[in-house]
Amino acid sequence: GIIAETSGYHYTFFGAALLGIVALISLLATREPSIQPIKQDSQRSFILVAAQPLLLVVSFMGILSQFANWSGLFGFIPVYGAQIGASSADLGTITMLSLAASVVAALFVVPLVKRCGNSFTILLGAILMGGAISIIPLIHQVGLLEGTMVFYGLGRGILNTILMSLSIQAVAPQQRATAMGIYQAIYAVGMFLGPFVSGSIADSFGIATVFYLSAFFCLLIAGMAYFPIILKQ
């Protein structure tokens, strides 16, 4: 946001590209521990993993979560912020606060799960994220919106981390890459539908309706947190 205000929007893209190159170099320096492969039919193995009930439930929750993410933080929250007077720097701060809070929240998911369980952790993340989204239409000051995005980011970080963890929990270590790929492929539906559907809804019913729908999806996630298959984990 600061770069956009001082030097122009195009420099933000150059900066993002530079950081991407740095991240790629860092990734090349990492080493993945080797896992003994299992010998079985790849198609049958894929079907068995894809049919795991826990993976399917978590993937559906991922669709709802990503719909809210891409309708909100990466969709209409910046639009709403601009409507209430946020500058380019303010919009950058809004995104930064949310993402920073997500990183912090992710660090505490493991101890939270050990202490309170998977279901409560999902419930907490959904309430924080959904609650923050639901009050956005009532906010008319940029500072309050920035503060709200901290709670949004905490919920987002908790949900993303716990759902990703659960997606590979019911499969063997050799099949976790497959399970993760299936999970990401399914939740990508929410990433696509979020902006697409929300745009039509915003045109027809207003931006506030987009936020309320996203909050409702978070409420569904909170309810699904206490499905028996989640409670057993």
Side-chain angles (χ1 to χ4, degrees):
I2 295 173
I3 293 174
E5 282 198 343
T6 57
S7 305
Y9 283 104
H10 55 286
Y11 282 102
T12 62
F13 298 111
F14 294 146
L18 178 61
L19 291 175
I21 293 172
V22 173
L24 178 60
I25 294 173
S26 301
L27 183 62
L28 292 174
T30 62
R31 293 291 181 269
E32 182 179 0
S34 59
I35 297 177
Q36 187 67 28
I38 53 177
K39 295 182 179 180
Q40 62 181 43
D41 180 68
S42 59
Q43 183 176 357
R44 181 173 178 272
S45 174
F46 177 85
I47 293 173
L48 289 174
V49 173
Q52 285 287 337
L54 177 62
L55 176 58
L56 293 175
V57 170
V58 170
S59 296
F60 182 72
M61 296 166 79
I63 291 176
L64 299 178
S65 173
Q66 293 301 326
F67 184 101
N69 273 332
W70 288 83
S71 295
L73 178 62
F74 303 116
F76 285 94
I77 289 176
V79 174
Y80 184 79
Q83 287 183 354
I84 63 174
S87 64
S88 296
D90 291 328
L91 295 177
T93 300
I94 287 170
T95 304
M96 181 272 293
L97 287 173
S98 176
L99 296 178
S102 294
V103 171
V104 172
L107 296 174
F108 292 94
V109 168
V110 171
L112 184 61
V113 169
K114 289 181 178 179
R115 184 177 181 85
C116 303
N118 291 309
S119 293
F120 177 82
T121 303
I122 295 173
L123 176 66
L124 178 61
I127 288 176
L128 285 172
M129 185 173 169
I133 295 174
S134 67
I135 66 172
I136 287 176
L138 307 177
I139 295 173
H140 302 288
Q141 296 180 19
V142 175
L144 289 177
L145 181 59
E146 291 174 346
T148 301
M149 293 309 295
V150 173
F151 293 97
Y152 175 96
L154 290 172
R156 176 178 176 272
I158 292 172
L159 274 183
N160 284 354
T161 306
I162 185 62
L163 293 181
M164 191 173 295
S165 173
L166 286 173
S167 71
I168 62 173
Q169 194 160 308
V171 299
Q174 296 88 343
Q175 297 173 319
R176 285 178 178 172
T178 301
M180 181 60 67
I182 293 170
Y183 170 66
Q184 292 179 330
I186 294 176
Y187 82 51
V189 173
M191 298 169 67
F192 164 75
L193 289 179
F196 179 73
V197 174
S198 296
S200 299
I201 292 174
D203 281 341
S204 301
F205 304 103
I207 292 180
T209 308
V210 173
F211 296 136
Y212 293 141
L213 178 62
S214 296
F216 173 70
F217 284 163
C218 290
L219 181 63
L220 288 181
I221 295 173
M224 293 177 67
Y226 285 87
F227 278 11
I229 195 168
I230 303 293
L231 289 170
K232 289 191 300 184
Q233 303 306 312

